[in-house]
Amino acid sequence: MEQPAERGHRCVPHTADVRIEAWAPTREDCVAEAVTALVETFTDTAGARPGAEREFAAPAGDDADLLVSVLDEVIFRMDTADELPLTTEVTDDGSGGLRVRWRVTGTADVELVGAVPKAVSLHELRFGPDTGGWSCAVTLDV
């Protein structure tokens, strides 16, 4: 994947679903970029303000499972608590898992601009180190 900046994300064309790519110098920052990319695929957060802080612990697992766990949690919280992350901070928990901190906003405080993701697909999932740090590519079922 050609990466235009040290850290970032983008949505790429995909038949019937949504595909995101993210990259960053570290595994944790790449996960945070993927969360931002997921939210940006279907919302405009320009007028939203960060509210409560939420935490999530992704249990130890391989890197792809950790990424899927975090993205699935974003979708779950959107569906059950009507909230979306505006900022994401991800750290290694020291045991192979991840600790995620979000500043969230209500789903009513953002404008929907695309199809809402229902799940993270495991098909063509990619996450790991590359020449510029870490990168991932994820398909979101809509």
Side-chain angles (χ1 to χ4, degrees):
M1 169 182 7
E2 182 182 330
Q3 299 169 353
E6 182 176 303
R7 178 179 175 149
H9 58 271
R10 65 182 159 218
C11 184
V12 294
H14 191 270
T15 306
D17 291 314
V18 174
R19 188 144 171 95
I20 58 173
E21 295 177 346
W23 57 92
T26 67
R27 175 183 75 153
E28 294 77 18
D29 287 344
C30 190
V31 171
E33 284 294 328
V35 168
T36 302
L38 181 151
V39 172
E40 287 181 0
T41 65
F42 68 101
T43 65
D44 178 357
T45 60
R49 295 180 189 252
E53 184 172 290
R54 302 284 188 246
E55 290 192 12
F56 173 67
D62 71 30
D63 295 323
D65 289 343
L66 288 169
L67 175 64
V68 170
S69 177
V70 172
L71 297 177
D72 278 343
E73 184 68 13
V74 172
I75 294 169
F76 174 77
R77 289 175 186 245
M78 175 187 61
D79 289 341
T80 62
D82 293 324
E83 61 188 25
L84 288 168
L86 289 180
T87 64
T88 302
E89 177 186 324
V90 181
T91 55
D92 188 310
D93 72 0
S95 69
L98 297 174
R99 176 165 318 217
V100 183
R101 284 198 170 111
W102 287 298
R103 292 292 305 267
V104 299
T105 192
T107 55
D109 297 328
V110 298
E111 180 182 351
L112 292 179
V113 295
V116 178
K118 299 298 179 198
V120 177
S121 173
L122 301 181
H123 182 67
E124 297 181 342
L125 174 69
R126 184 181 47 75
F127 181 46
D130 65 18
T131 58
W134 283 74
S135 65
C136 68
V138 180
T139 301
L140 305 170
D141 295 331
V142 294

